[in-house]
Amino acid sequence: MDGFGVTFAFWVLTGVTLVAALGVLLSRNLLHAVLFLILTFVGMAGYFVLLSADFLGMAQVLIYVGAIAVLVLFAVLLTPRAGRDNGETRMFLPALLLCGTLLAVILFVITDTNWAVSEEPATVSAAGLGEALLSRWVLPFELASVLLTVALVGSIMLVRSREEEAEDPR
Amino acid sequence: MELTVLVFLPAVAAIVVLLLPARQEHLAKYVALAGSVATLALSLWLFFTFDLNESGYQFVERREWVDLGAFNLQYFLGVDGLSMPLVVLTAFLTTASVLVSFSVTRRQRLYYALLLILSTSVLGVFTALDFMLFFLFWELELFPMYLLISIWGSGRKEYSATKFVLFTIAGSAFMLVGILVLAFSASTFDIQVLGQSSFDDTVLPLRWVFLFLFIGFAIKLPIVPVHTWLPDAHSDAPTAVSVMLAGVLLKMGGYGLIRMCVTILPGQADDLSAWMAGAGAVSVLYGAFVTLRQTDVKRLIAYSSVSHMGLVLLGVGALGTTGMVGATYQMVAHGVITGLLFVMIGLIYERTHTREIARLGGLARQVPLLATGFVFAGFGSLGLPALAGFIAEVMVFLGAFEQYEWAALMAIFGVVLSAGYILWMLQRVVFGPVRPEWNSLTDQRHWWEHSVVLMLAALIILLGVYPAILTDMINPAIDTIVLRVGA
Amino acid sequence: MTPGLEHFLTVGAILFCLGLTIALSKRNAIGVLMGIEIMLNAVNLTLLSFARFGVGHGPVAGQAFVVFIITVAAAEAAVALALAVSVYRNRDTIDVDKLNLLRS
Amino acid sequence: MPFLEAAATQSPTIDEWLLWAILVSPLTAWALIVLYFRKIPAVAGYLAIAGIGISCLISFVTLFNVIDADGAIAQHTHEWFTAGDVVVNLGVRVDGLTAVMLVVVTSVSLLVQIYSTGYMAGDSGYGRYFAHMCLFTTAMLGLVLADNLFMLFIFWELVGLSSYLLIGFWFHKPSAAAAAKKAFIVTRIGDLGLLAALLLIWSRAETFDIAGIHHWAASGEASDKIVTLFALGIFAGAAGKSAQFPLHVWLPDAMEGPTPVSALIHAATMVAAGVYLVARFFPVFEVSTDAREVVAWIGAATALIAATIALVQTDLKRVLAYSTVSQLGYMMLALGALGYVAAIFHLFTHAFFKALLFLGSGSVNHGTNTFDMRKMGGLRAKMPVTFWTFVIGSLSLAGIFPLAGFWSKDEILLDAWRYDRALWFMAATVAFMTAFYMFRAIFLTFFGEYKGGEPVDHHDPDNHFHGDPAHPHESPWPMRAPLLILAVPAVLAGLLNVDHDFGDFINHALPELPHHEGSTFEWGIALSSLGLALGGIGLAWAIYYKRWVSSASLRELFLPLAGLFEHKYFLDNVYEDIFVRGIFHRGWNRLLELTDRYVIDGVANGSGRLVRGVSSGLRPIQNGLLQTYGLGFAAGVIIFVLAVFAANPL
Amino acid sequence: MNGIDLVGPQFAVLIAAGMALLVDALLPRQRRFIPLVALAGLALSVAWTISWVSRDDYQSAFGGTLALDKYAVFFYFVFAGIAAAVVLASIDWVKREGRGEAEYYALLLVSTAGYMFLAASRDLITIFIALELSSIPQYILAGWGKDERSSEAGLKYLLLGAIASAVLLYGMALLYGFTRTTDLGGIADAIVAGGSENRALLTLAVALVIAGFGFKMAVVPFQMWVPDVYQGAPTPVAAYLSVGSKGAAFAVVTRLFFEGLGPDVASDDWSMIFAVVAAVSMTFGNVMAIVQTDIKRLLGYSSIAQAGNIMVGLAAVSVAGEEFVLGASGVIFFVAAYAFTNLGAFIAVIAISQRIGSDRIGDYAGMWKRSPVLAGALALCLVSLTGIPPTAGFWAKLYVFNSAIRADLAWLVIVGVLNSLVSAYYYLGVARTMFVAESGEEATFRPPLGLSISLGLATAGVLILGLVPGPLLDAAHDAAETLALVS
């Protein structure tokens, strides 16, 4: 991996993503936080592309930005009386300290490790990925679909209002 | 096959009792009696067919149970001269406790079922020759005891029942560790094999293993300072349970000491024998001193049991044949004598509804036969010659004196102290002028009360005047154990 | 400076910890969920970094893993929001520091 | 067992079964009474008399048989049981000593039973009384017949039991119940020594056999120290039963029992068992000078202390009780002073005249319903048989020539004189006091004016007093006859040893004849003791009959001393108040009890409470807040990682 | 073996889930048969698994991502059994709750299928998906109840579970980074090839993975959600969670350690860590349980303690050498025994609380009179949880402790047995309330049919395993051996 463009892109993305994530952490308004979250997801998609996972970058934008973030927005809107407050609990400082420690540990490990890095950047084509998903990981692939179905079915059951249930012919 | 029948006969009777329809509840006692008498008869038959010239295990039954190579359990029963008397004792006292329970009216089916299951578990402990099977039976006794005390007891019964269970579990917890370590070293739970193997320090130093086993048995025995569950359990338990508790349950501890601790780890027993003897002597004295302060008859007897069981430890600690024969004899003797004492207290309690020494008095005038039984049992307890306890005590002293003179000399003071507390109690409970509140007591008795008292009294005398009936049996068994210690 | 594996990993680590911080400190259940999503994203980043700088047949595994994580994240988000709504109906709030009916 | 073999010189002169029958006969009577005739007074009494009578008969047969065999030893041993290494035998051993004791025990017992049929008539516990008496006789005979220490110990304890039962016969009286308990416990303290001796002898000699022990002691195998310890253990047991200082305190209290019991047990037989025991093991004491010194001095001290207390007693029976203690001390003194024969001879004579005296006091009580001499007086005319037999007994006890007591006491004084002059001096003092207090009692009881006795409390359901204490009269024949019969040996028994027949006879019970010369008569000693006795009588006559000096002013004169005597040297107070109640009950025992409750049990309960406390303390952790849980989780992760790093340094 | 055959058991379960939804949609009148459909699916699953066993056909499939070995098969049975019991136990509750019945059973079945996959997975990705497949339905089910407690429990469970998942994933990612493969066998090879290089990375990765699974296992320090969720979730769901997710997590961790990390890694660092975790978990769970007044919360804490007990087996697994089969078989036997026991307890609690409408332990007073069967069954299960014979729990504890002794972890066993002591206190407390305490309410009742059947099965399992543990121990041993063979 070389070239100024890559380096530049990396640092820009890093800046954007981290600031966005910090924004999620710091913004007091839930809606703002959602927006920052979307920004983070977008930054993340950029990283994916940078890491030669173009397909996943697309998927990221599609699913996270398109689906999950929207879902979150819906949820925010569905819970109007809960307020838009995105404040912290009293646990903020301890959480920060703990996570700082965890970060320190992880960073120590990352620097401590002697990474075996291949000379050639490995690239995986979307077709290759698809083939892998349908051969070696066909089972998880199928299960993932079951999982999504179940999650949908379950979610629907959970959010059905009482009136709906009352109308239900059962 | 005989032993299996013997061990599970009470359990079968228990099931029959439980299956009785509610309307036939009054039959429960008779079923229980039949079951226990049948057990007694079978045990007596075994006792008299026991081959005295054979030092090994007899009536052996052995089946593979769980066979996993490294984890190998057997269903292995057998008796030798050490366990046979205790088996008979158990059957005997089970019958006695069923009889004294005839006046129980609450939840009879459950009551008798639990009592019989208790009997099965104790019989199992005395006959099991697989350490794990032994442990199984050992633990099996907890639940019936717990319920018996906490449902049919009196006073702080729940506290006492819980205390009993917790102490026992604490002990068996340590015991389990010891068993597992031993089984690890010998690759078997077979007591016969364990009793012939020699061990090295493995995951735990052997001394620890010994101590762990010892703790388990010492709590049951019980030895000072892990004895405090006993007075509580006794004072709050119903009569029959006190009889079983003092009569046979404590013996499980002494039996375990000899059968497991000493036989399996003779070297460690030898190293620690002075401590054992010392602890025994201290128990004897401490128990006696504290007994002297008790104001509740049952608590008093309970503490006296601590003192008497200290003798067992003293005898075992001496590690000689005489001492251990004495210890075994003491177990049997204490079983019948204290059994009778508790029976008598129970009968008195049924009439007076108090066990406070201060409130009793002059009973000899009102209920002369009960008083006579009480005095008789009391004399048995203080080690009067011609009664069972004397032989045992003197044998223990003789055995201990050969090994640790100081311990024996300490312990013989217990003889005076026991005379002190027993006679003082008799003086206050039985003798003296009649208290007006007991004027209305009458000397009416039921046949079951008669029979249980006579049964026990006869046994006490028999063991006092004809000790050879047991010693001839115990000697060979103890000899083999002592040979191992000496080796 | 050319970004290497360590750089990506570091970003991943920072994001992971940030996400965790968010998850642990936000009062609003949806805020917490957002933190979790960031954590999962950080994991994805880490996986893809390894895939990108990988050796042998490993890279496919990393990418495949990410596919599944994205899927599961979606499912989890859906369920979480459904539960949040459900709580909201019962309690009129989704502040997790008020959800302490169950304790000690 | 080398010693046992050495002892196997038997001279089978009497059938073994006869010897066992001596034991079995009263035992059978006991069993029959207990099982069937408890409630049938007539049968119970006669059954007891029959049982003991048979024993008595066989005892006499035995005695003559042994006399024929010139005191040789007959022994029949059977194994009883084996426990480990210990072999315990049951066996009978007959020799001169045994034979004499058998006769004493059975004959006195028989007479006392006859007496009791009168004395106890109407008591609600009549059957029980005779059952206990039979049991006692059995035990006492077993003690005498036993051929080994173990068996001896068993019967020794059984004797204690029957004594307990009989002292506490009137158990509804708190004082009786307390006295019974006291007697048992105090003697048991002494028995500790006996038990220790039992343990010691087995561990050193591996035998309980009496002959074996004799040989062991004589063989010099054991060190002096061990022999002394053994001897002292034996003596401790003896001191308990024979009420030697400082264990004598139970005997006076034991007078709470029926008077015939006192006569039999606490005068003639059981209390003599201690003396018998020391005599039985006399060869051991011969070896150990130290032990003998102890015996002699304890005996002397006992004799003196008891005699002084007897001087001031107002209760007739207690005078006799202290007198008994005193005489037992005498016997011990004799044993310590190597006077084996003298001691046994005195035991022999004492049994008769002391039993006589006690029965006499019982007879008095039968008439007056009291033992308090201050409430008596002038009974000489009303109870002539009682009076005369009592006087005979007293004279014999005081040692007036030629009554039995004179001969035996004289021998003791002689032995003491030879052994140690100080001992003789003490013994002589006691002889003087004995004469004094006995005649003080006689003058108070039988002379002067009758003071009315103790009125009958008719509300007491346990009182079976018949007749009118205000008008005492002579006792019925069953009571009078034993008095008369006992008076005979009280007078004549002393003559048996005039030619050392008695001594030679019982000397054969020893493995080898004593090294010292046997007692012979010495005029100086005899006359001086006679003089002292007469002096004592005279003094009593002067004070209590002629009243030349008032006893009250005399008491004033010796006030501190008299107070000491009256309070029995404060020994009971020391024992009961200071030791038993103070140091033990309120102190040490209470300390242990509190330790038990608050320390040992406290640890158990405390650990339970601790766990609960920790549990409650930890509850706030689970505060239901998601954030807390999340933090906990994260913290867990970090701790986990760090712990692994720490466990396995990089 | 074709593709369907390879996932037959799970397939059957999933099909049943689908069928349930279909029945609901197409035949609304036949709704009452939905539980039967679920049961039929489970039965089919079991039958299928049995057919494997009878064919003795074990293999690995799907490019090595799924291992169809005896180990997996063992857990198939366990999970199918758990699911069946929970289905039976749920019938009444679901009907009363009125929310979609079909969906409830479908979720349950899907989750069960997830467990089954978890037990068989040999690939990180498969493991992850299987884990989520089992977890997400659980989150939903936990929030299934209409009361606020239930939804609170669901939300808490989900959010915390998601955090745990993220941590787990990060760990997996690092593991992947270290070895560049997701295949357990490949990971093992890579670790062996890598030697001692990059230990820090490996450690961090494993720690995070263990933390992630630790959440499901409910061991300290990842246990905090447990009592809240158990208390809040519908009782049948809590029952399911308590045995299912714990079992699955242990199943997968054991496999992970055997096949993915190998004994090298394990024995070096992790034995001690697991041991400490086990000790702390037991202690925390037991100590906290003591002061609980809500039976479900109490069972929650108790399950933390039990997780600690199972962990003992895991600590022993981590030791290289012949003995580790014992540890692994200990874990899986414990899981099975625990499944019976805890299900039994929960089912009894369901039956009781349906009747008395309360989960307060104090309200269980006099239960012995009101429903002796329920009280007896619950007491038996509590005894089994304590580890007193003759119950399944006894053997389970014994077996893992035995393996720990062999792994030189005597101290851990001592901690374990002392914990049994503490646990006895509160388990017996419940039994005491039921058997001893009196209550004003006297009306007797019987549990409904479904509950009766499942309760009967569970308690029968507890008892039968208690008396004849051999076959199952054998099976567990075999299963663990196949693991060892693979590695």
Side-chain angles (χ1 to χ4, degrees), chain B residues 159 163 167 224-225 227-228 232 286 289-290 292-294 303 321-322 325 364-365 369 379 382-386 390-391 394-395 397-398 401-402 405 408-409 412-413 415-416 418-420 423-424 426-427 430-433 464-468 471 475, chain D residues 38 80-86 88 124 150 153-155 157-158 161 164-165 168 171-174 177-178 180-181 184-185 188-189 192 195-196 198-200 202-204 206 208 461-462 584-586 588-590 592-593 595-597 600-601 604-605:
Chain B
Y159 167 80
K163 199 170 181 181
F167 266 86
V224 175
H227 63 283
T228 50
D232 283 324
Y286 180 95
F289 279 125
V290 178
L292 279 165
R293 288 282 310 183
Q294 298 308 311
Y303 271 106
T321 359
T322 315
V325 171
R365 200 29 83 87
L369 286 190
F379 273 100
L382 62 75
L384 193 80
F390 170 76
I391 307 284
V394 177
M395 286 307 129
F397 291 148
L398 281 169
F401 194 84
E402 282 176 45
E405 295 182 356
L409 289 178
I412 59 175
F413 277 95
V415 168
V416 171
S418 67
L423 296 184
W424 194 29
L426 291 179
Q427 182 192 344
V430 177
F431 301 140
V465 298
Y466 184 35
T471 51
N475 275 329
Chain D
R38 218 172 29 221
W80 186 24
F81 69 99
T82 310
D85 319 320
V86 179
V88 179
S124 63
F150 197 99
F153 184 74
I154 288 177
F155 285 105
E157 291 283 305
L158 285 177
L161 166 76
Y164 169 85
L165 294 172
F171 53 77
H172 50 85
K173 279 163 61 185
K181 180 193 70 182
F184 196 92
I185 293 175
R188 245 201 176 195
I189 292 172
L192 276 188
L195 186 55
L198 187 86
L199 304 181
L200 184 68
W202 182 265
S203 77
R204 293 302 190 278
E206 297 222 336
F208 296 123
D462 297 310
F584 280 105
H585 195 66
R586 297 220 182 86
W588 173 245
N589 293 355
R590 187 169 159 75
L592 284 186
E593 192 210 3
T595 310
D596 200 65
R597 194 184 304 163
I600 294 181
D601 211 18
N605 287 334

Side-chain angles (χ1 to χ4, degrees), chain A residues 25-57:
Chain A
L25 178 62
L26 298 176
S27 63
R28 291 303 168 123
N29 188 310
L30 197 57
L31 285 170
H32 294 171
V34 177
L35 295 179
F36 274 119
L37 182 68
I38 292 173
L39 190 56
T40 318
F41 289 161
V42 172
M44 203 57 73
Y47 277 121
F48 290 3
V49 175
L50 207 55
L51 288 168
S52 328
D54 307 359
F55 171 72
L56 288 175

Side-chain angles (χ1 to χ4, degrees), chain C residues 50-91:
Chain C
F50 285 130
R52 168 65 178 70
F53 296 94
V55 287
H57 75 284
V60 189
Q63 295 211 357
F65 212 150
V66 172
V67 171
F68 290 114
I69 294 176
I70 291 175
T71 319
V72 167
E76 250 172 20
V79 174
L81 298 172
L83 277 168
V85 171
S86 170
V87 168
Y88 175 77
R89 287 208 184 126
N90 276 327
R91 304 279 297 272

Side-chain angles (χ1 to χ4, degrees), chain A residues 1-2 6-7 10-11 14 17-18 21-22 24-27 30 33-34 37 41 44 47-48 50-53 56 60 63-64 68 71-72 75-76 78-83 85-89 91-92 95-96 99 102-103 106-107 110 115-118 121-122 124 128-129 132-133 137 140-141 144 147-148 151 155 158-162, chain C residues 1-11 13-18 20-22 24-28 30-35 37-38 40-42 44-45 48-55 59-64 66-79 81-86 88-90 92-97:
Chain A
M1 182 175 280
D2 48 4
V6 173
T7 313
F10 174 77
W11 289 110
T14 306
T17 315
L18 291 185
L22 266 176
V24 177
L25 178 62
L26 298 176
S27 63
L30 197 57
V34 177
L37 182 68
F41 289 161
M44 203 57 73
Y47 277 121
F48 290 3
L50 207 55
L51 288 168
S52 328
L56 288 175
Q60 168 82 4
I63 297 179
Y64 270 105
I68 299 181
L71 213 56
V72 171
V76 174
L78 274 172
T79 56
R81 289 187 299 278
D85 179 36
N86 191 33
E88 284 84 23
T89 59
M91 293 301 181
F92 180 65
L96 206 60
C99 295
L102 184 62
L103 184 61
I106 297 174
L107 290 180
I110 289 173
W115 298 103
V117 179
S118 67
V124 179
L129 179 59
L133 288 179
W137 287 292
F141 191 74
L147 179 62
L148 279 173
S155 306
L158 284 177
V159 294
R160 280 195 345 166
S161 65
R162 291 195 176 109
Chain C
M1 192 174 71
T2 312
L5 177 58
E6 285 91 341
H7 294 91
F8 285 97
L9 290 182
T10 307
V11 174
I14 294 171
L15 274 177
F16 185 80
C17 293
L18 258 178
L20 187 59
T21 316
I22 294 168
L24 295 187
S25 62
K26 287 297 168 190
R27 185 180 297 154
N28 194 306
I30 294 170
V32 174
L33 183 69
M34 289 196 272
E37 295 299 341
I38 292 178
L40 291 176
N41 266 287
N44 287 347
L45 179 58
L48 285 179
S49 319
F50 285 130
R52 168 65 178 70
F53 296 94
V55 287
V60 189
Q63 295 211 357
V66 172
V67 171
F68 290 114
I69 294 176
I70 291 175
T71 319
V72 167
E76 250 172 20
V79 174
L81 298 172
L83 277 168
V85 171
S86 170
Y88 175 77
R89 287 208 184 126
N90 276 327
D92 257 13
T93 182
I94 47 173
D95 280 5
V96 287
D97 58 355

Side-chain angles (χ1 to χ4, degrees), chain E residues 114-317:
Chain E
Y115 287 155
M116 290 175 165
F117 279 118
L118 257 184
S121 298
R122 295 193 67 234
D123 184 281
L124 293 183
I125 295 177
T126 322
I127 289 175
F128 170 65
I129 287 293
L131 182 69
E132 292 299 329
L133 188 65
S134 65
S135 303
I136 288 181
Q138 284 173 30
Y139 302 147
I140 302 170
L141 288 173
W144 197 256
K146 283 179 180 160
D147 62 325
E148 44 202 87
R149 286 163 180 266
S150 177
S151 46
E152 178 182 329
L155 187 59
K156 271 186 191 169
Y157 189 23
L158 177 114
L159 290 177
L160 289 166
I163 294 175
S165 285
V167 169
L168 169 71
L169 281 172
Y170 197 72
M172 282 181 166
L174 291 181
L175 201 55
Y176 165 71
F178 182 68
T179 62
R180 301 296 155 86
T181 176
T182 55
D183 181 65
L184 291 190
I187 291 172
D189 294 342
I191 289 173
V192 172
S196 61
E197 219 184 350
N198 293 343
R199 247 4 196 197
L201 177 61
L202 185 59
T203 304
L204 179 62
V206 175
L208 293 173
V209 169
I210 296 302
F213 284 117
F215 178 83
K216 292 284 170 193
M217 294 186 213
V219 291
V220 174
F222 315 115
Q223 87 299 345
M224 297 179 96
W225 60 279
V226 174
D228 289 19
V229 172
Y230 281 20
Q231 188 185 358
T235 318
V237 177
Y240 183 66
L241 294 186
S242 71
V243 292
S245 77
K246 199 186 303 284
F250 273 103
V252 69
V253 168
T254 310
R255 188 187 283 279
L256 184 70
F257 262 83
F258 260 104
E259 303 189 357
L261 301 174
D264 268 1
V265 177
S267 61
D268 282 356
D269 315 332
W270 287 94
S271 176
M272 192 46 67
I273 296 291
F274 282 150
V276 171
V277 167
V280 175
S281 297
M282 295 178 209
T283 314
F284 180 82
N286 284 326
V287 167
M288 289 300 287
I290 280 189
V291 289
Q292 298 305 323
T293 53
D294 183 292
I295 183 85
K296 279 162 75 183
R297 213 173 163 80
L298 180 137
L299 285 172
Y301 281 113
S302 118
S303 90
I304 295 172
Q306 299 292 348
N309 280 324
I310 309 180
M311 201 75 167
V312 173
L314 209 52
V317 163

Side-chain angles (χ1 to χ4, degrees), chain B residues 108-411:
Chain B
Q108 293 185 34
R109 279 175 299 171
L110 184 63
Y111 179 87
Y112 287 106
L114 291 173
L115 204 57
L116 289 166
I117 289 172
L118 187 63
S119 174
T120 283
S121 78
V122 180
L123 287 170
V125 165
F126 290 141
T127 51
L129 289 181
D130 183 282
F131 214 155
M132 199 36 71
L133 188 63
F134 171 91
F135 186 75
L136 226 101
F137 282 121
W138 177 281
E139 293 277 285
L140 185 63
E141 142 259 359
L142 284 178
F143 206 60
M145 273 304 284
Y146 177 78
L147 288 182
L148 282 170
I149 297 176
S150 58
I151 297 179
W152 290 274
S154 57
R156 292 195 302 170
K157 54 190 181 180
E158 293 176 19
Y159 167 80
S160 302
T162 310
K163 199 170 181 181
F164 164 79
V165 169
L166 291 184
F167 266 86
T168 309
I169 290 186
S172 52
F174 283 106
M175 196 197 325
L176 181 62
V177 180
I179 295 175
L180 290 177
V181 175
L182 283 180
F184 172 47
S185 307
S187 300
T188 181
F189 290 103
D190 187 324
I191 289 172
Q192 215 170 9
V193 177
L194 288 173
Q196 289 156 2
S197 323
S198 55
F199 298 90
D200 299 317
D201 289 356
T202 49
V203 292
L204 278 182
L206 282 178
R207 172 168 292 198
W208 285 43
V209 177
F210 181 88
L211 277 179
F212 282 3
L213 295 178
F214 181 81
I215 289 172
F217 298 128
I219 288 180
K220 197 92 215 173
L221 197 52
I223 292 303
V224 175
V226 287
H227 63 283
T228 50
W229 63 271
L230 185 72
D232 283 324
H234 266 316
S235 52
D236 296 341
T239 304
V241 176
S242 286
V243 172
M244 285 299 273
L245 180 58
V248 292
L249 262 68
L250 305 188
K251 279 63 199 179
M252 289 160 48
Y255 172 75
L257 276 181
I258 300 178
R259 171 73 83 229
M260 310 300 172
C261 283
V262 175
T263 314
I264 297 177
L265 294 170
Q268 283 61 41
D270 201 26
D271 288 348
L272 296 170
S273 67
W275 289 98
M276 286 200 280
V282 167
S283 265
V284 169
L285 290 183
Y286 180 95
F289 279 125
V290 178
T291 308
L292 279 165
R293 288 282 310 183
Q294 298 308 311
T295 55
D296 176 303
V297 188
K298 272 183 123 177
R299 272 188 97 77
L300 191 149
I301 302 302
Y303 271 106
S304 84
S305 289
V306 174
S307 179
H308 284 132
M309 289 293 104
L311 284 177
V312 173
L313 184 58
L314 177 63
V316 174
L319 288 184
T321 359
T322 315
M324 268 193 267
V325 171
T328 313
Y329 208 97
Q330 169 75 353
M331 290 196 263
V332 180
H334 177 262
V336 281
I337 291 170
T338 309
L340 181 59
L341 265 176
F342 276 117
V343 167
M344 299 319 303
I345 295 164
L347 297 181
I348 290 172
Y349 179 75
E350 263 172 34
R351 286 160 175 76
T352 61
H353 300 290
T354 183
R355 294 188 306 256
E356 280 290 308
I357 294 178
R359 285 191 59 204
L360 296 166
L363 294 179
R365 200 29 83 87
Q366 300 302 322
V367 281
L369 286 190
L370 285 187
T372 308
F374 198 44
V375 172
F376 177 82
F379 273 100
S381 183
L382 62 75
L384 193 80
L387 301 182
F390 170 76
I391 307 284
E393 283 184 12
V394 177
M395 286 307 129
V396 167
F397 291 148
L398 281 169
F401 194 84
E402 282 176 45
Q403 203 63 238
Y404 300 109
E405 295 182 356
W406 52 272
L409 289 178
M410 267 170 81

